[in-house]
Amino acid sequence: MKPIYILNGPNLNRLGKREPEIYGTTTLTEVEAMCREVAGDRPIEFRQTNSEERLIDWVHEAIDEGAGIIINPAAFTFTSLALLDALKMFKGPIIEFHISNVHRRESIYHRSYVSMTATTVMAGLGAKGYPLAVRALESLIADERR
Ligand code: DHK
């Protein structure tokens, strides 16, 4: 069974301490555990980086190995054409995930490049939305959605 890739961008390593009024107090380690529990037999590659280059390299790995992608690109959502170009190459379903409702925040967070290729967007469910995204991705994989 091919793995799903759950990829997290810059500053998410500080989840739980970072602006808890926006992102909550759940840590990324706790998020990973929740995702693995929901995934059952499905292998998960759960990763975080502050590097755009590394994030793109992981998308390239997913292109060759992955069944689906859940990506929280964080600030790269709104800045990276390189990340958009990499995600366009992925043939499986892509869920763009944001902990906060980016559309209710400052306008700098309103225009996502990633949304131009994502299968669906989940935003505002909080960190506990990640396991829901795993369930949603399994459904998209089963339906062979892109
Ligand atoms: C996380 C970030 O780091 C921000 O740059 C985004 C996103 C929002 C989130 O809600 O997960 O604007």
Side-chain angles (χ1 to χ4, degrees), residues 73-81 83-84 88 96 98 101-117 121:
F76 295 150
T77 308
F78 317 101
T79 62
S80 179
L81 287 174
L83 179 60
L84 169 61
K88 281 180 176 178
E96 176 187 345
H98 300 287
N101 179 353
V102 291
H103 302 292
R104 201 165 67 176
R105 299 181 61 192
E106 303 93 317
S107 61
I108 54 173
Y109 298 129
H110 291 176
R111 191 189 187 291
S112 165
Y113 287 116
V114 172
S115 295
M116 295 171 68
T117 192
V121 181

Side-chain angles (χ1 to χ4, degrees), residues 10-12 18 23 72 74-75 78 97-100 102 105 109:
N11 300 300
L12 290 168
R18 174 198 180 193
Y23 300 107
N72 183 342
F78 317 101
F97 185 90
H98 300 287
I99 295 163
S100 65
V102 291
R105 299 181 61 192
Y109 298 129

Side-chain angles (χ1 to χ4, degrees), residues 43-84:
I44 285 184
E45 292 294 333
F46 191 101
R47 303 179 189 166
Q48 185 278 331
T49 182
N50 297 323
S51 157
E52 184 177 0
E53 175 187 351
R54 194 145 191 228
L55 194 59
I56 288 166
D57 287 345
W58 289 343
V59 172
H60 290 174
E61 183 184 318
I63 290 166
D64 298 327
E65 307 294 338
I69 295 175
I70 295 166
I71 185 164
N72 183 342
F76 295 150
T77 308
F78 317 101
T79 62
S80 179
L81 287 174
L83 179 60
L84 169 61

Side-chain angles (χ1 to χ4, degrees), residues 6-17 23-36 46-50 72 97 99 127 130:
I6 305 178
L7 304 177
N8 295 277
N11 300 300
L12 290 168
N13 53 305
R14 297 191 59 80
L15 193 62
K17 294 179 287 214
Y23 300 107
T25 56
T26 304
T27 67
L28 206 59
T29 299
E30 290 167 335
V31 167
E32 178 176 2
M34 289 190 286
C35 291
R36 292 190 183 283
F46 191 101
R47 303 179 189 166
Q48 185 278 331
T49 182
N50 297 323
N72 183 342
F97 185 90
I99 295 163
Y130 274 93

